[in-house]
């Protein structure tokens, strides 16, 4: 028997995702160990890509319909997530001891932090105002299902990464059946 994901308001679910990513950022800042930094960036990759796929699939179609200027807002948020995934893919090929690694992580933190601020300051308050609690719960359930699907994605696939396949590619592929 498969357990059902818990039902929560989509705003609460996505805010919890934001807290989890911020905690990974803090963990990264707190260590200088290259191995730990690689592990943290790999966890960031899984979390950010999972979050991106869930939002692209469930949140942004709703934003487009429910919010004034919804198309513009969704497009801007998706653009930020695309940039975050681009940086994550670049990080996948860089050794944590390489001088390029820390600046890339800082770029990632900046882009993701901007995305989080946009959602928490603009999108989430509008969703709370314009959607019923039931609609927000249904969206939260869908986003929770996406989180469950991402569980157990290994940083390195058994057959190796494959030509041009990054961890971000593998997570997106597992969740959607396709890469970006």
């Amino acid at each position: 028997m498969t357990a059902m994901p818990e039902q929560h308001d989509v705003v609460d679910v996505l805010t919890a995702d934001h807290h989890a990513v911020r905690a990974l950022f803090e963990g990264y800042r707190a260590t200088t160990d290259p191995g730990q930094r690689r592990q943290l960036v790999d966890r960031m990759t899984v979390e950010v890509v999972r979050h991106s796929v869930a939002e692209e699939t469930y949140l942004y179609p709703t934003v487009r319909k429910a919010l004034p200027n919804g198309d513009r807002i969704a497009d801007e948020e998706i653009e930020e997530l695309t940039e975050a995934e681009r940086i994550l893919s670049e990080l996948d090929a860089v050794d944590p001891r390489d001088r390029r690694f820390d600046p890339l992580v800082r770029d990632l933190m900046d882009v993701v932090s901007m995305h989080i601020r946009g959602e928490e300051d603009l999108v989430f308050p509008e969703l709370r105002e314009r959607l019923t609690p039931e609609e927000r719960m249904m969206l939260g359930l869908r986003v929770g299902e996406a989180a469950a699907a991402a569980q157990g994605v290994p940083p390195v696939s058994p057959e190796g990464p494959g030509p041009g396949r990054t961890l971000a590619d593998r997570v997106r592929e597992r969740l959607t059946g396709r890469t970006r």
Side-chain angles (χ1 to χ4, degrees):
M1 186 158 130
T2 305
M4 291 292 294
E6 286 188 47
Q7 285 196 342
H8 294 289
D9 184 304
V10 68
V11 172
D12 297 334
V13 172
L14 294 174
T15 300
D17 282 357
H18 295 169
H19 290 297
V21 170
R22 285 180 179 129
L24 292 171
F25 290 169
E26 289 306 313
Y28 183 89
R29 288 183 190 108
T31 186
T32 57
D33 177 78
Q36 287 180 328
R37 283 187 157 192
R38 168 52 66 196
Q39 288 178 344
L40 287 163
V41 168
D42 287 350
R43 288 179 52 208
M44 287 175 207
T45 301
V46 172
E47 289 303 311
V48 168
V49 174
R50 179 195 54 76
H51 183 87
S52 296
V53 168
E55 288 186 342
E56 290 165 11
T57 305
Y58 303 111
L59 180 68
Y60 295 131
T62 300
V63 165
R64 289 179 190 286
K65 292 177 189 168
L67 272 58
N69 299 313
D71 285 332
R72 181 187 54 79
I73 292 166
D75 290 345
E76 288 172 3
E77 296 297 325
I78 290 169
E79 188 177 314
E80 290 169 356
L81 292 170
T82 300
E83 176 63 8
E85 285 190 46
R86 184 199 63 74
I87 295 167
L88 286 164
S89 291
E90 195 171 337
L91 275 164
D92 201 53
V94 179
D95 186 282
R97 291 174 289 268
D98 188 300
R99 64 181 175 77
R100 296 174 297 156
F101 197 81
D102 280 337
L104 282 170
V105 173
R106 282 193 301 276
D107 290 347
L108 174 69
M109 290 178 183
D110 289 345
V111 169
V112 171
S113 295
M114 183 169 51
H115 171 76
I116 288 171
R117 277 191 308 276
E119 285 188 342
E120 291 182 358
D121 294 348
L122 173 69
V123 177
F124 294 171
E126 288 281 333
L127 288 175
R128 286 195 193 255
E129 183 179 315
R130 296 176 183 282
L131 299 181
T132 67
E134 293 79 18
E135 290 169 322
R136 292 192 318 268
M137 293 293 276
M138 183 55 67
L139 273 175
L141 178 63
R142 299 264 191 285
V143 170
E145 290 169 349
Q151 295 302 317
V153 176
V156 178
S157 66
E159 60 277 354
R165 290 186 71 233
T166 66
L167 176 57
D169 294 334
R170 291 192 304 277
V171 173
R172 180 167 284 280
E173 205 170 279
R174 177 160 183 171
L175 294 172
T176 66
R178 61 183 174 16
T179 58
R180 232 182 218 192

